[in-house]
Amino acid sequence: MDESEINESPRDRADSATFMGWSMATCIVAILLVAGINGVVDPYLRFEWFRIERVNAYRPKAVGQVRMAKAYQIRRVEPRTVVLGNSRVDLGIDPQSKTWPANVSPVYNAGQPGGGMWANLYYLRHAAYGRKIDHVVLGVDFFDFFRDQSKSSEIDSSRNDVRRLLTDAEGRSNQQRWKSLVSDTVRSIASISAMCDSALTVASQSDPNVADIGTRGLTSGEPFRPIIWRQGQRSLVDEKNADYRRKLQVKNGDIFDRSNDRTKDRESADWDYLDELIGFCDENEIRLTVFLHPYHAELLQLIDQSDRWRFFDDWKRELVVRCERSNQAIDVWDFACVTPVTSEPIPQPEDRDTIMRWYWESGHYRREAGELILACMFGDAADRDRAESLISGKKLDPQVIEKHLSQQRTLISQRRNETDAGDHSVPVSTNLSSTETAE
């Protein structure tokens, strides 16, 4: 036996036990304190028990956890209307707009940045599980369909942002969801990263341009403002245009697989997901409205200059064909047109003060443009007339689409010629008086 153990007195052993007890109690109290603080601040919107001014009224860190935040938030809201789409919807369509008819509320913005058609289908099933959804408004994006057709666009159903949903990849009850519930809860209240993000959440409350996901799912575009004031909106537009140009120039880029390999399915997974979403709405008697995003005219020109306009037209045709197969009459609205809004002038490179009225950059429109979209689709006569004079939404069907596409080809050709000639004139309704300036 060790000599130290022989010489250890009963009092020493008691002191050691007391020390261990206090240490353990301290650790438990510290863990509970951290969990309590994280639970109150709730930086990732896991619980959203309350929003306290100057504490957690805004949740900037939830924006980086948008898949998790919206998966839980949409179930808490219990919406009658769900708005689906990618980051363009996430930033641009206000679920609390006064334009929404009273009989469709509450409305929830389930837009998923970078999500694609799979996210639209999966989150709709999740929202409707055991509940009645009356109306779905779906924003569709050309860039979700135009891709390298030699690569699969199937989604990995084992990823965590799928496993936390109430339904699995096949639309059945998700029996493994409890694992994600535990993981998300622990990560939200008992992790060091959550503690750090709670502190940052509280510290950011005084920032007028803080990021946030609102109570109905709308993500704030305010963080764009300091970027624009720092580098200018022209620079931001150019950066995003370079990204869109790369997407347009991707190898084997198309909306279909047009290869001669008969062993391959002509349709990509994106079209399959759209068909499933339409079928789900039919089966569950959910009204479906589809709209195409109002890309800025510079982005429309990029599509034209990249020799992708024929795919753009084919995409619109195919959307109409798919929606016509539905058991219901689906309204398909085209806002991806040359209009006074989409032709809004972009500030000059040296201008660090001016912010465009309708756009953050050429692919992401502001909530103000989203209001015009909603007015065209759901507004009263006065609101609709005003909106149509600016954004000219066109309801598509097989009888009108070819004439409409021909008109848009003419308009983009005219704009191309004007740009080549150095004529950057735009309609009076989009002059610089419609922009903001820094105070």
Side-chain angles (χ1 to χ4, degrees), residues 214-229:
T215 57
R216 298 287 182 83
L218 177 69
T219 296
S220 169
E222 296 307 301
F224 279 107
R225 293 181 184 276
I227 297 174
I228 293 170
W229 291 330

Side-chain angles (χ1 to χ4, degrees), residues 175-430:
Q175 301 301 316
Q176 302 300 312
R177 183 175 183 249
W178 66 270
K179 298 178 182 178
S180 292
L181 289 176
V182 172
S183 173
D184 289 342
T185 300
V186 170
R187 183 154 59 99
S188 297
I189 65 173
S191 67
I192 297 299
S193 60
M195 188 67 211
C196 294
D197 287 340
S198 289
L200 291 171
T201 295
V202 175
S204 68
Q205 296 301 298
S206 59
D207 181 356
N209 301 307
V210 64
D212 183 42
I213 297 177
T215 57
R216 298 287 182 83
L218 177 69
T219 296
S220 169
E222 296 307 301
F224 279 107
R225 293 181 184 276
I227 297 174
I228 293 170
W229 291 330
R230 185 170 59 251
Q231 67 185 55
Q233 196 159 12
R234 175 77 262 180
S235 176
L236 177 61
V237 169
D238 288 344
E239 286 179 10
K240 293 299 295 183
N241 282 351
D243 184 46
Y244 296 131
R245 188 178 291 108
R246 283 191 293 271
K247 292 179 179 179
L248 289 165
Q249 294 173 345
V250 66
K251 184 179 179 181
N252 301 312
D254 202 336
I255 61 167
F256 295 122
D257 175 15
R258 304 177 199 257
S259 70
N260 294 323
D261 184 355
R262 298 300 180 185
T263 64
K264 296 176 67 177
D265 188 350
R266 179 176 180 267
E267 296 179 0
S268 69
D270 308 282
W271 292 110
D272 292 337
Y273 291 131
L274 175 61
D275 286 343
E276 287 188 62
L277 189 149
I278 293 172
F280 184 87
C281 289
D282 286 348
E283 293 167 12
N284 292 277
E285 299 182 341
I286 300 172
R287 177 188 172 194
L288 176 59
T289 301
V290 177
F291 73 93
L292 287 63
H293 297 294
Y295 305 125
H296 191 274
E298 279 205 6
L299 181 48
L300 295 175
Q301 282 185 272
L302 284 179
I303 296 173
D304 176 47
Q305 293 165 359
S306 301
D307 195 26
R308 302 310 196 204
W309 196 269
R310 66 187 188 279
F311 301 127
F312 197 47
D313 281 350
D314 283 349
W315 173 64
K316 293 183 180 182
R317 291 187 184 100
E318 191 67 18
L319 286 171
V320 171
V321 169
R322 303 283 171 143
C323 291
E324 282 292 310
R325 294 174 186 169
S326 170
N327 297 332
Q328 61 174 299
I330 300 176
D331 288 340
V332 181
W333 290 84
D334 185 10
F335 296 100
C337 308
V338 179
T339 69
V341 165
T342 63
S343 300
E344 180 181 11
I346 297 170
Q348 295 298 312
E350 65 276 7
D351 188 345
R352 301 289 191 273
D353 297 323
T354 304
I355 297 178
M356 297 169 70
R357 179 180 182 182
W358 307 115
Y359 289 88
W360 295 117
E361 38 87 357
S362 57
H364 288 85
Y365 48 91
R366 293 179 55 175
R367 187 173 59 182
E368 288 78 1
E371 286 294 312
L372 298 179
I373 293 172
L374 294 177
C376 282
M377 297 192 295
F378 309 117
D380 59 28
D383 287 343
R384 189 164 56 249
D385 288 346
R386 173 183 173 274
E388 289 179 352
S389 71
L390 294 170
I391 205 166
S392 307
K394 180 68 175 179
K395 192 184 294 187
L396 302 181
D397 61 46
Q399 285 69 47
V400 305
I401 187 169
E402 291 305 327
K403 181 179 179 180
H404 172 69
L405 294 180
S406 177
Q407 291 172 340
Q408 288 304 308
R409 284 194 296 271
T410 299
L411 288 172
I412 199 65
S413 178
Q414 290 175 352
R415 185 174 175 90
R416 184 197 320 129
N417 294 335
E418 291 168 358
T419 302
D420 291 344
D423 180 2
H424 300 286
S425 61
V426 293
V428 174
S429 59
T430 62

